[in-house]
Amino acid sequence: MIKREDVYKIGKLGRTHGVKGEISFLFDDDVFDRVDADYLVLDIDGILVPFFMEEYRFKSDSNALVKFEDIDSQERAQQLTGIDVYFPHTLADNDENCISWAAIVGFDIIDADSGNKIGRIASVDDTTINILFELEDGCLIPASEDLITAIDQQARTITMQLPEGLLNL
Protein backbone atom coordinates (compact mmCIF):
# COMPACT_ATOMS: atom_id res chain seq x y z
CA MET A 1 0.00 0.00 0.00
CA ILE A 2 1.31 3.44 -0.92
CA LYS A 3 1.48 5.87 2.02
CA ARG A 4 0.96 9.62 1.68
CA GLU A 5 4.33 10.39 3.25
CA ASP A 6 6.03 8.32 0.52
CA VAL A 7 4.78 10.54 -2.32
CA TYR A 8 4.44 14.21 -3.20
CA LYS A 9 1.96 15.99 -5.45
CA ILE A 10 3.22 16.88 -8.91
CA GLY A 11 0.02 17.85 -10.69
CA LYS A 12 -3.55 17.13 -11.68
CA LEU A 13 -5.29 15.35 -14.54
CA GLY A 14 -7.34 17.59 -16.79
CA ARG A 15 -9.62 16.95 -19.74
CA THR A 16 -9.67 13.91 -21.98
CA HIS A 17 -8.01 14.11 -25.38
CA GLY A 18 -9.41 12.09 -28.26
CA VAL A 19 -11.30 8.82 -28.01
CA LYS A 20 -8.49 6.35 -27.21
CA GLY A 21 -8.03 7.17 -23.53
CA GLU A 22 -5.49 10.00 -23.55
CA ILE A 23 -5.84 12.62 -20.83
CA SER A 24 -4.26 16.00 -20.22
CA PHE A 25 -1.79 16.09 -17.32
CA LEU A 26 -1.06 19.54 -15.84
CA PHE A 27 2.16 19.21 -13.84
CA ASP A 28 4.37 21.37 -11.63
CA ASP A 29 7.31 18.95 -11.74
CA ASP A 30 8.51 16.95 -14.77
CA VAL A 31 10.35 14.43 -12.56
CA PHE A 32 8.41 11.59 -14.22
CA ASP A 33 10.29 12.37 -17.44
CA ARG A 34 13.70 13.09 -15.89
CA VAL A 35 13.92 9.73 -14.08
CA ASP A 36 12.11 7.55 -16.66
CA ALA A 37 9.25 6.54 -14.40
CA ASP A 38 6.91 3.76 -15.50
CA TYR A 39 3.99 4.93 -13.40
CA LEU A 40 2.31 7.83 -11.67
CA VAL A 41 0.33 7.62 -8.44
CA LEU A 42 -3.29 8.81 -8.59
CA ASP A 43 -5.51 9.66 -5.63
CA ILE A 44 -8.62 7.59 -6.30
CA ASP A 45 -11.23 8.30 -3.60
CA GLY A 46 -8.52 8.84 -0.98
CA ILE A 47 -6.53 5.74 -1.93
CA LEU A 48 -3.17 6.15 -3.67
CA VAL A 49 -3.09 3.88 -6.71
CA PRO A 50 -0.23 3.40 -9.21
CA PHE A 51 -1.22 3.85 -12.85
CA PHE A 52 1.29 2.64 -15.42
CA MET A 53 1.90 4.87 -18.41
CA GLU A 54 1.87 3.45 -21.93
CA GLU A 55 3.13 6.72 -23.34
CA TYR A 56 3.09 10.47 -22.90
CA ARG A 57 3.97 13.49 -24.96
CA PHE A 58 4.51 17.08 -23.96
CA LYS A 59 2.16 19.81 -25.18
CA SER A 60 4.03 22.53 -23.24
CA ASP A 61 6.49 22.78 -20.36
CA SER A 62 3.63 22.27 -17.87
CA ASN A 63 1.18 20.08 -19.79
CA ALA A 64 1.44 16.59 -21.24
CA LEU A 65 -0.94 14.11 -22.80
CA VAL A 66 -0.78 10.76 -20.98
CA LYS A 67 -2.06 7.35 -22.03
CA PHE A 68 -2.38 4.93 -19.10
CA GLU A 69 -2.47 1.15 -19.46
CA ASP A 70 -6.02 -0.28 -19.52
CA ILE A 71 -7.56 3.19 -20.03
CA ASP A 72 -8.61 2.71 -23.64
CA SER A 73 -11.66 4.91 -24.15
CA GLN A 74 -12.72 8.49 -23.66
CA GLU A 75 -15.29 7.34 -21.07
CA ARG A 76 -12.66 5.54 -18.96
CA ALA A 77 -10.29 8.52 -19.17
CA GLN A 78 -13.10 10.90 -18.23
CA GLN A 79 -13.42 9.12 -14.85
CA LEU A 80 -9.89 10.35 -14.05
CA THR A 81 -10.58 14.03 -14.78
CA GLY A 82 -9.63 16.27 -11.86
CA ILE A 83 -7.63 13.57 -10.03
CA ASP A 84 -4.48 14.66 -8.16
CA VAL A 85 -1.23 13.08 -9.38
CA TYR A 86 1.63 12.12 -7.05
CA PHE A 87 5.16 10.82 -7.47
CA PRO A 88 7.16 8.52 -5.15
CA HIS A 89 10.00 10.15 -3.20
CA THR A 90 12.12 7.03 -3.73
CA LEU A 91 12.09 7.45 -7.51
CA ALA A 92 12.62 11.21 -7.30
CA ASP A 93 15.67 10.72 -5.05
CA ASN A 94 17.45 9.13 -8.02
CA ASP A 95 17.52 12.61 -9.57
CA GLU A 96 20.11 14.12 -7.22
CA ASN A 97 21.12 16.98 -9.50
CA CYS A 98 17.67 18.49 -9.82
CA ILE A 99 15.25 18.68 -6.90
CA SER A 100 11.97 20.45 -7.52
CA TRP A 101 10.09 22.83 -5.26
CA ALA A 102 7.23 20.33 -5.06
CA ALA A 103 9.58 17.60 -3.82
CA ILE A 104 10.78 19.57 -0.79
CA VAL A 105 7.36 20.03 0.80
CA GLY A 106 7.68 18.20 4.12
CA PHE A 107 11.42 18.86 4.47
CA ASP A 108 12.65 20.31 7.77
CA ILE A 109 14.52 23.63 7.77
CA ILE A 110 17.64 23.52 9.96
CA ASP A 111 19.51 26.61 11.21
CA ALA A 112 23.15 26.33 10.04
CA ASP A 113 24.49 28.18 13.11
CA SER A 114 22.68 26.34 15.91
CA GLY A 115 21.72 23.08 14.19
CA ASN A 116 18.18 23.55 15.57
CA LYS A 117 15.06 22.75 13.57
CA ILE A 118 13.29 25.94 12.52
CA GLY A 119 10.20 24.26 11.10
CA ARG A 120 8.75 22.02 8.40
CA ILE A 121 7.91 23.24 4.90
CA ALA A 122 4.14 23.14 4.36
CA SER A 123 4.23 24.70 0.88
CA VAL A 124 6.39 26.68 -1.51
CA ASP A 125 5.11 29.99 -2.85
CA ASP A 126 6.68 30.38 -6.29
CA THR A 127 4.05 32.76 -7.69
CA THR A 128 6.48 35.68 -7.63
CA ILE A 129 10.16 36.11 -8.42
CA ASN A 130 10.91 35.90 -4.67
CA ILE A 131 10.21 32.28 -3.83
CA LEU A 132 9.22 31.60 -0.20
CA PHE A 133 9.07 28.53 2.00
CA GLU A 134 5.86 28.59 4.03
CA LEU A 135 6.37 26.64 7.23
CA GLU A 136 3.63 24.72 9.02
CA ASP A 137 3.46 27.46 11.68
CA GLY A 138 2.80 30.09 8.97
CA CYS A 139 6.31 31.57 9.05
CA LEU A 140 7.69 32.62 5.65
CA ILE A 141 11.37 32.13 4.81
CA PRO A 142 13.05 33.27 1.57
CA ALA A 143 14.00 30.25 -0.55
CA SER A 144 17.14 31.91 -1.84
CA GLU A 145 19.95 29.63 -3.00
CA ASP A 146 22.33 32.07 -1.29
CA LEU A 147 20.83 31.10 2.10
CA ILE A 148 20.77 27.33 1.54
CA THR A 149 23.98 25.68 2.71
CA ALA A 150 22.99 22.01 2.34
CA ILE A 151 20.16 19.76 1.20
CA ASP A 152 19.95 16.21 2.50
CA GLN A 153 17.30 14.32 0.53
CA GLN A 154 17.69 11.15 2.62
CA ALA A 155 17.14 13.00 5.92
CA ARG A 156 14.64 15.36 4.22
CA THR A 157 16.35 18.48 5.59
CA ILE A 158 17.48 21.82 4.22
CA THR A 159 20.16 23.63 6.19
CA MET A 160 20.03 27.42 5.87
CA GLN A 161 22.20 30.33 6.95
CA LEU A 162 19.44 32.81 7.84
CA PRO A 163 20.04 36.55 8.36
CA GLU A 164 20.06 37.59 11.99
CA GLY A 165 16.61 38.60 13.22
CA LEU A 166 14.69 37.08 10.29
CA LEU A 167 12.80 34.67 12.52
CA ASN A 168 11.84 37.49 14.90
CA LEU A 169 9.78 39.36 12.31
Side-chain angles (χ1 to χ4, degrees):
M1 186 163 129
I2 300 171
K3 299 177 187 163
R4 241 175 243 280
E5 59 268 14
D6 295 337
V7 296
Y8 67 98
K9 185 177 176 184
I10 62 168
K12 187 176 219 124
L13 295 177
R15 298 175 19 177
T16 60
H17 182 82
V19 295
K20 299 195 181 202
E22 278 189 317
I23 190 163
S24 177
F25 172 34
L26 306 166
F27 57 88
D28 300 321
D29 186 346
D30 67 351
V31 65
F32 64 96
D33 184 55
R34 293 192 315 264
V35 300
D36 275 339
D38 294 331
Y39 67 96
L40 297 172
V41 178
L42 305 185
D43 184 347
I44 307 293
D45 297 327
I47 299 171
L48 297 174
V49 180
F51 275 70
F52 288 85
M53 297 181 287
E54 278 184 21
E55 63 182 358
Y56 61 87
R57 65 183 191 275
F58 290 97
K59 286 180 66 178
S60 71
D61 53 348
S62 63
N63 190 357
L65 293 177
V66 179
K67 171 74 174 76
F68 292 110
E69 289 181 7
D70 300 325
I71 305 295
D72 52 6
S73 68
Q74 183 177 13
E75 292 77 24
R76 297 268 325 263
Q78 199 163 23
Q79 295 172 345
L80 301 176
T81 300
I83 298 286
D84 287 334
V85 179
Y86 294 84
F87 198 78
H89 285 292
T90 55
L91 293 178
D93 290 346
N94 294 335
D95 189 19
E96 294 176 5
N97 296 329
C98 186
I99 186 168
S100 70
W101 293 124
I104 62 173
V105 171
F107 277 41
D108 291 327
I109 301 290
I110 306 296
D111 181 40
D113 291 331
S114 68
N116 293 333
K117 177 180 168 181
I118 296 169
R120 179 165 288 153
I121 300 173
S123 66
V124 178
D125 181 354
D126 62 354
T127 57
T128 66
I129 196 164
N130 297 317
I131 299 170
L132 299 169
F133 294 140
E134 183 175 350
L135 303 185
E136 289 176 343
D137 66 1
C139 182
L140 298 174
I141 295 179
S144 170
E145 289 181 23
D146 296 337
L147 301 176
I148 298 173
T149 60
I151 299 176
D152 185 339
Q153 291 188 53
Q154 296 294 347
R156 299 181 49 78
T157 61
I158 298 176
T159 305
M160 298 184 75
Q161 185 73 49
L162 298 176
E164 191 173 318
L166 179 70
L167 297 176
N168 299 329
L169 297 176

